[in-house]
Amino acid sequence: MQQLAIEPTFAAWRVAARTALHEHWPPTDLCWEETHSAQGSLFAPSLAGSPAQAGEFRVPRAFVEIARRVACHRAPERWSLLYGILWRLAHGEPHLLQLASDPLVARLTEWDKAVRRDVHKMRAFLRFKAVRRPEGEYWVAWFEPEHLIVEMNAPFFVDRFAQMRWSIFTPDRSAHWNGERLQFTPGASRREAATDDALEDLWRVYYGSIFNPARLKLDAMRAEMPQRYWPNLPEAELIPQLVREAEPRVEAMQQVSAARAPREEFGTPPIPAHPTLPALHEAMQQCRACPIYRDATQAVPGEGPADAKIVLLGEQPGDQEDRQGRPFVGPAGLLLDRALAEAGLERAQCYATNTVKHFKWEPRGKRRLHARASPREIAVCQAWAETELRVIRPRVLVCLGATAAQFVFGRDARIERDRGQLRASAYAPRTLVTTHPSALLRMADEAAKEAAYARFVADLRMAAGALDR
Ligand code: URA
């Protein structure tokens, strides 16, 4: 029996599993153990240099995604489960994950669901409280996740609360954001979380305002908001009153919405259940979820390698992009290519895409002039870019212009205020906001244009630097 002692992280498991696969060690001969040694994995020294040799077998991307999550499950047997599946994928069962009835696959799916549910619960039920520190206001939260999800979930909170300084304490691990860097320390005890309840009223107001009576499903609510989270939830006591008022509020909402019914029907983009880039690109052509498609020639999918380390996210295709079906091939694209080259990046190494997939335009004589997509059109369409980003999982994301920046960082994002910083977002550990090349093309003053272009190149250089780190 071969004993593998690894640090309980996906990265450590991956190194060990690749080598075990390379050495042809069957799952039945392996005993996985977790070590919390400060020196790192006991096993790792003998693995140094070997993962590259194991590259003969390409792991399906879907498995990597699931394995990353299942690695956060609390069960110590997760490592052997993952290796058991990996072994079979590599030994004549490439479609194993589609066999839902297979006991290993069923357990993998169940654990994946449990982790995803836990991630969702942490996002929904974690509450920060303000505490005074000598250096100013600081926010702390206490949470008890069922699984080991703090590191996986922390970028979400960085994204949502980027302007605050905060700590999230849990019994297993704690995350800290100082406005610039995300750090992790060992678990904490409840006492370390704040006791100051001054913000609880604010949470009640917030909850009352986001509560949608039309969506009231009592059973689902009880299932979603288990009692164990209630001590952290000041708004929980509002529920009986909100429930009582729900019916009259729904009626009122129905009357208002009938009066304001939009002329255009909006739907849901046909995102494939198991998205890959080719599947997404194909499905995008069928999208009728908002009215823009009617006047466009075609949807314009992203372009670039599926394993690109860097994604460039623009606003929407222009006239040339609409005709050719490719992003950034018009004047803005040419300028972008030039700036990328000056920043030391090749366009071919980037995946370039847009927040909105169809060209929206207005006639001006014989020309088709770019028209801004409405907030609703953007909101409906962004499911495509979101899925592209989740499939690619870039290391660096560059938001070109306000539409892309607001999609990633929310409505408050501002180019001039936020540019020049690398921040974690929901889509990439390093996300940078910069100007859109079209904005440079529109500038009339040559000197100002040159200066703006230099800043644009400097931003792209920062993105290139983040790739190397
Ligand atoms: N502008 C964009 O935002 N995207 C393109 O593809 C072209 C111009």
Side-chain angles (χ1 to χ4, degrees):
M1 180 71 78
Q2 182 78 35
Q3 194 171 351
L4 301 189
I6 57 164
E7 289 211 354
T9 65
F10 173 71
W13 173 82
R14 183 144 85 163
V15 171
R18 278 182 178 167
T19 303
L21 205 58
H22 180 72
E23 298 291 336
H24 304 288
W25 291 334
T28 45
D29 288 2
L30 289 184
C31 169
W32 292 85
E33 281 197 9
E34 294 185 356
T35 169
H36 296 266
S37 131
Q39 279 79 46
S41 163
L42 300 178
F43 184 68
S46 64
L47 299 180
S50 47
Q53 303 157 10
E56 306 127 26
F57 167 63
R58 277 187 75 78
V59 183
R61 188 183 281 274
F63 174 67
V64 180
E65 300 291 312
I66 296 173
R68 211 183 281 282
R69 287 190 295 267
V70 170
C72 302
H73 198 281
R74 198 175 280 282
E77 309 83 53
R78 65 197 183 283
W79 309 119
S80 55
L81 170 71
L82 291 175
Y83 187 66
I85 301 246
L86 180 69
W87 176 267
R88 287 174 59 190
L89 286 170
H91 290 83
E93 295 183 75
H95 304 298
L96 175 62
L97 294 186
Q98 285 155 26
L99 291 181
S101 61
D102 181 278
L104 280 197
V105 175
R107 189 166 339 139
L108 183 80
T109 310
E110 186 193 323
W111 287 4
D112 183 27
K113 263 196 208 151
V115 170
R116 278 192 289 168
R117 210 177 307 125
D118 207 27
V119 163
H120 165 72
K121 292 214 155 100
M122 183 169 172
R123 292 178 183 187
F125 301 140
L126 182 138
R127 297 290 180 266
F128 284 105
K129 295 178 180 183
V131 289
R132 298 254 159 236
R133 293 254 168 110
E135 64 279 13
E137 198 164 49
Y138 198 86
W139 300 74
V140 295
W142 169 254
F143 198 75
E144 294 174 51
E146 273 176 44
H147 299 288
L148 308 165
I149 55 169
V150 174
E151 276 164 352
M152 186 164 68
N153 233 355
F156 170 87
F157 293 98
V158 170
D159 180 25
R160 285 290 179 285
F161 304 105
Q163 314 300 333
M164 295 159 38
R165 292 175 307 125
W166 50 257
S167 290
I168 298 174
F169 296 106
T170 85
D172 304 294
R173 204 106 175 91
S174 302
H176 313 273
W177 171 250
N178 64 5
E180 287 171 7
R181 275 184 68 200
L182 181 62
Q183 283 176 305
F184 296 95
T185 57
S189 68
R190 184 182 259 280
R191 255 181 299 120
E192 285 165 271
T195 52
D196 178 1
D197 290 343
L199 284 176
E200 299 201 347
D201 283 348
L202 272 184
W203 276 108
R204 286 196 194 95
V205 172
Y206 168 68
Y207 184 75
S209 71
I210 59 164
F211 175 83
N212 181 350
R215 292 241 187 114
L216 180 64
K217 291 194 185 109
L218 275 180
D219 289 345
M221 237 159 97
R222 287 191 192 106
E224 278 291 308
M225 208 188 251
Q227 207 107 15
R228 58 194 289 255
Y229 298 117
W230 286 31
N232 299 336
L233 299 175
E235 70 273 23
E237 69 186 44
L238 279 185
I239 291 173
Q241 182 197 342
L242 291 168
V243 168
R244 267 196 312 278
E245 292 169 357
E247 215 173 303
R249 281 181 63 188
V250 173
E251 269 171 31
M253 278 165 68
Q254 279 166 348
Q255 283 164 11
V256 171
S257 70
R260 289 196 200 142
R263 270 168 311 164
E264 298 287 5
E265 277 300 306
F266 283 77
T268 309
I271 309 279
H274 302 287
T276 57
L277 290 184
L280 273 177
H281 295 175
E282 200 180 309
M284 211 175 273
Q285 298 305 339
Q286 312 310 320
C287 190
R288 306 286 182 265
C290 82
I292 304 184
Y293 78 92
R294 291 208 195 110
D295 297 325
T297 312
Q298 56 195 314
V300 179
E303 186 177 77
D307 59 354
K309 302 280 179 289
I310 178 163
V311 169
L312 310 170
L313 182 64
E315 182 198 342
Q316 61 158 314
D319 178 77
Q320 281 302 316
E321 288 79 16
D322 173 73
R323 292 176 201 276
Q324 298 185 37
R326 298 177 54 209
F328 286 105
V329 288
L334 289 179
L335 189 64
L336 174 64
D337 286 352
R338 198 181 115 199
L340 285 172
E342 279 183 42
L345 285 165
E346 280 175 43
R347 168 76 175 264
Q349 76 187 100
C350 308
Y351 183 88
T353 194
N354 286 300
T355 314
V356 171
K357 301 304 181 190
H358 284 106
F359 176 41
K360 183 171 178 181
W361 56 277
E362 285 163 0
R364 181 76 51 87
K366 285 191 179 163
R367 293 172 61 211
R368 303 190 301 169
L369 281 199
H370 166 280
R372 224 168 227 290
S374 72
R376 192 159 180 207
E377 287 157 350
I378 295 173
V380 167
C381 196
Q382 67 193 29
W384 292 111
E386 205 166 271
T387 314
E388 283 175 298
L389 285 163
R390 297 221 183 279
V391 168
I392 298 173
R393 297 173 72 94
R395 202 181 294 168
V396 176
L397 171 62
V398 180
C399 300
L400 300 166
T403 302
Q406 289 176 358
F407 154 57
V408 172
F409 287 114
R411 297 283 286 276
D412 297 339
R414 298 285 176 274
I415 301 300
E416 285 312 314
R417 188 196 60 202
D418 300 341
R419 67 189 300 173
Q421 317 167 37
L422 290 162
R423 288 188 286 165
S425 72
Y427 305 106
R430 298 191 181 104
T431 305
L432 180 119
V433 160
T434 187
T435 190
H436 193 289
S438 302
L440 302 179
L441 291 176
R442 284 194 298 269
M443 294 176 81
D445 181 301
E446 277 308 315
K449 191 178 201 165
E450 222 167 89
Y453 176 75
R455 286 185 76 200
F456 182 48
V457 172
D459 284 344
L460 294 177
R461 209 169 274 134
M462 180 180 269
L467 270 186
D468 298 337
R469 258 185 269 150

